[in-house]
Amino acid sequence: MSDAFQALSRRLLPLAAAVGFAIVATPALARGPEGIADVAEKVIDAVVNISTSQTVEAKNTDNDKGSDERGNRRGANPQLPPDSPFSEFFDEFFKNRRGGPDSRGNSPRKVNSLGSGFIIDTDGTVVTNNHVIADADEINVILNDGTKIKAELIGRDKKSDLAVLKFTPPEKKITAVKFGNSDSLRLGEWVIAIGNPFSLGGTVTAGIVSARNRDINSGPYDNYIQTDAAINRGNSGGPLFNLDGEVIGVNTAIISPSGGSIGIGFAVPSKTVMAVVDQLRQFKEVRRGWLGVRIQQVTDEIAESLSIKPARGALIAGVDDKGPAKPAGIEPGDVVVKFDGKDIKEMKDLPRAVADSPVGKAVDVVIIRKGKEETKKVTLGRLDDGEKPVEASAKTTSPVEAEKPVTQKALGLDLAGLSKDLRTRYKIKDSVKGVIVTGVDDGSDAAEKRLSAGDVIVEVAQEAVTNAADVKKLVDQLKKDGKKSVLLLVSNGSGELRFVALAVK
């Protein structure tokens, strides 16, 4: 038995060694690269806490029936704007109130909020999120050693959720960090987040780049880095570092049902941050390029109708009469596939590329028109603060019930000529030309694409139409040609255009 055991042991020894090697190696990988500690030690003094305070009015109403445990009537909570960064502190604030000289809650009160930021210049320039300092009456920067210094707001940009602050540095030397190139990030690359989660102060977490160019529908310029490094409330405005100690993102948002980290955090990439920060420091505002178009996604059906393979680009649904695109010769129905040398793979790429371009720059815009590529030279205007790149709207006006006119049927639509009576009934401007939709078949492709009575068909397959017979004739021809879908240019009563591809049956 002893000899047999020894023989078995000798045969299993190589396997045990291999397993042992795997077991030994795994913990080392789990800890991450050795350089994390060195990076954290190098940059942590550049990461600051942002302390803000806001004076709010506390209101008491007759409808408030609440009371504390002693039976004292409680005032209503102060009214804050939606998504205010101060709101998360109110529950704790009011939970700890216990009557007092003004237990009715009628006096103005100060509430505090804490976030993160980082120093980019030894002159005291700090970058953070706009939502960290929004509506604040007073802003203070707290250095890593606890020194608290009052800061002023230099400028902020709501669209990218970034802000620049400035404080007077103390006599001692302060640490500043540099931006890295977020475009060079690779999936799986290690990154380090440092910030002030839950007001705990300088906290270091590490993870990897989970995704790039992430759109979370928070604004027109979404282009986030996604990471699984632990990011929680209070980390907002803090830096995301690469292993060279360079800032490659600003931690801005998380997805979390519980309010804590579940490993899905988002950071504004440094390429976007640098451009915004430079303008905020120079102009105290962001001046974005403006093309003056309304756009929509190029779906597979629309691409087939326009003979574009593969489906790509941004479809021009409308052109502003006073915008830069108009004199350059860009028209509805054009598909932008390249802007200033950058490929436009999908609709959302165009607003980003335009916004990142300097005002007044002359750029080449490559479009596809009727299956052929053309290049247009456009001198960009400036996007007003109240404007934003918009998708084509599908909203229509509810018509007043009246006797139905004589119509013709096509594509599941009841179509009629635009008479004076129909213009009045559906509130259609005189400038809108085409064929009006007076009814839509239930369950039809047109109904699924949200066409409704009061919409006006301006073009069919990029051919202008003036009566219902024109529509039917063009649709019948497309059927004979073997087309699977037909592209309609549709207007609402106000003249806003959009493209709709309907199946040809």
Side-chain angles (χ1 to χ4, degrees):
M1 179 68 71
S2 177
D3 292 342
F5 179 77
Q6 290 177 2
L8 180 62
S9 298
R10 283 194 300 271
R11 290 209 312 267
L12 290 179
L13 186 59
L15 177 61
V19 172
F21 175 79
I23 293 173
V24 169
T26 300
L29 290 174
R31 287 198 303 269
E34 296 295 333
I36 289 178
D38 294 332
V39 173
E41 184 177 7
K42 174 183 173 183
V43 302
I44 195 165
D45 284 338
V47 182
V48 299
N49 297 344
I50 307 294
S51 171
T52 63
S53 62
Q54 179 190 18
T55 302
V56 295
E57 294 292 334
K59 298 179 180 179
N60 191 14
T61 66
D62 292 337
N63 294 326
D64 178 18
K65 303 300 181 182
S67 60
D68 61 23
E69 67 273 17
R70 292 180 295 181
N72 294 327
R73 179 99 172 243
R74 293 183 305 209
N77 288 8
Q79 302 299 305
L80 289 179
D83 302 323
S84 168
F86 300 101
S87 58
E88 64 187 84
F89 298 92
F90 272 65
D91 289 342
E92 190 68 24
F93 175 77
F94 282 97
K95 183 172 68 176
N96 292 332
R97 283 178 59 196
R98 296 292 184 267
D102 188 25
S103 61
R104 294 174 300 172
N106 291 326
S107 298
R109 297 183 180 275
K110 275 199 171 186
V111 291
N112 299 313
S113 178
L114 288 170
S116 305
F118 55 98
I119 303 169
I120 61 169
D121 195 316
T122 53
D123 67 356
T125 302
V126 171
V127 175
T128 186
N129 279 145
N130 174 63
H131 76 258
V132 169
I133 52 85
D135 304 315
D137 298 326
E138 184 178 308
I139 305 172
N140 288 284
V141 167
I142 304 173
L143 303 181
N144 190 44
D145 64 1
T147 303
K148 186 175 183 179
I149 308 170
K150 188 173 182 179
E152 64 171 319
L153 176 64
I154 299 300
R156 62 185 183 182
D157 178 47
K158 293 181 180 179
K159 291 184 174 69
S160 61
D161 194 18
L162 295 170
V164 173
L165 311 176
K166 183 78 177 293
F167 70 94
T168 301
E171 292 183 1
K172 63 181 180 180
K173 185 179 179 181
I174 61 173
T175 303
V177 288
K178 295 181 179 180
F179 287 107
N181 182 11
S182 55
D183 283 351
S184 66
L185 284 176
R186 297 181 299 159
L187 295 184
E189 182 174 338
W190 280 92
V191 287
I192 304 164
I194 304 181
N196 181 31
F198 300 109
S199 306
L200 291 173
T203 299
V204 180
T205 57
I208 62 169
V209 174
S210 304
R212 293 180 55 197
N213 304 316
R214 188 67 84 197
D215 185 351
I216 60 174
N217 297 313
S218 67
Y221 310 120
D222 278 17
N223 185 26
Y224 291 105
I225 300 166
Q226 181 182 327
T227 179
D228 67 350
I231 297 173
N232 292 282
R233 290 182 179 179
N235 273 105
S236 287
L240 190 68
F241 292 102
N242 60 21
L243 292 185
D244 292 324
E246 299 169 328
V247 178
I248 46 85
V250 177
N251 301 318
T252 297
I254 60 173
I255 291 179
S256 172
S258 64
S261 174
I262 59 170
I264 304 178
F266 302 98
V268 182
S270 60
K271 183 178 179 181
T272 300
V273 178
M274 286 189 291
V276 171
V277 168
D278 285 346
Q279 292 205 38
L280 291 178
R281 295 181 77 177
Q282 184 176 355
F283 307 117
K284 300 185 184 294
E285 63 180 358
V286 176
R287 301 175 180 179
R288 291 187 168 90
W290 178 51
L291 189 58
V293 295
R294 296 172 61 250
I295 58 175
Q296 65 183 84
Q297 187 72 25
V298 179
T299 63
D300 290 336
E301 289 176 318
I302 289 176
E304 192 270 338
S305 300
L306 294 173
S307 301
I308 297 176
K309 293 182 181 180
R312 67 190 190 280
L315 177 61
I316 304 297
V319 179
D320 192 310
D321 288 336
K322 298 180 181 179
K326 183 80 169 180
I330 293 177
E331 302 172 356
D334 292 341
V335 175
V336 178
V337 293
K338 187 171 288 189
F339 179 89
D340 198 20
K342 302 170 186 173
D343 290 332
I344 305 301
K345 297 179 180 178
E346 51 185 314
M347 180 189 71
K348 66 182 181 180
D349 293 338
L350 184 58
R352 294 175 187 166
V354 175
D356 289 342
S357 301
V359 176
K361 183 179 181 181
V363 299
D364 287 331
V365 180
V366 179
I367 62 169
I368 296 178
R369 179 181 293 172
K370 296 186 177 180
K372 296 181 180 180
E373 281 195 5
E374 299 181 20
T375 300
K376 303 292 184 182
K377 181 74 75 173
V378 183
T379 301
L380 297 179
R382 180 182 173 185
L383 182 69
D384 291 338
D385 194 40
E387 299 179 28
K388 62 179 180 179
V390 293
E391 298 179 34
S393 172
K395 295 179 181 178
T396 56
T397 307
S398 299
V400 178
E401 289 296 328
E403 183 180 351
K404 287 188 176 182
V406 177
T407 60
Q408 194 160 4
K409 203 81 174 177
L411 301 169
L413 301 169
D414 295 328
L415 305 170
L418 258 176
S419 64
K420 184 177 180 180
D421 176 61
L422 289 173
R423 285 188 184 276
T424 302
R425 188 191 312 175
Y426 292 99
K427 299 180 181 178
I428 298 170
K429 289 183 176 180
D430 292 339
S431 59
V432 176
K433 310 294 182 185
V435 179
I436 190 167
V437 176
T438 59
V440 182
D441 292 350
D442 292 338
S444 65
D445 191 29
E448 291 182 5
K449 299 292 176 58
R450 296 186 296 170
L451 283 170
S452 61
D455 283 334
V456 176
I457 298 175
V458 179
E459 292 180 0
V460 175
Q462 297 187 293
E463 296 287 340
V465 291
T466 57
N467 56 65
D470 290 342
V471 177
K472 185 167 178 52
K473 181 180 177 181
L474 287 167
V475 171
D476 289 343
Q477 185 60 49
L478 289 168
K479 286 181 180 179
K480 290 180 182 179
D481 294 341
K483 292 289 185 180
K484 297 179 181 178
S485 60
V486 56
L487 186 66
L488 306 180
L489 179 59
V490 180
S491 173
N492 62 14
S494 300
E496 292 183 347
L497 301 171
R498 73 184 191 279
F499 282 91
V500 179
L502 297 182
V504 176
K505 296 181 181 179

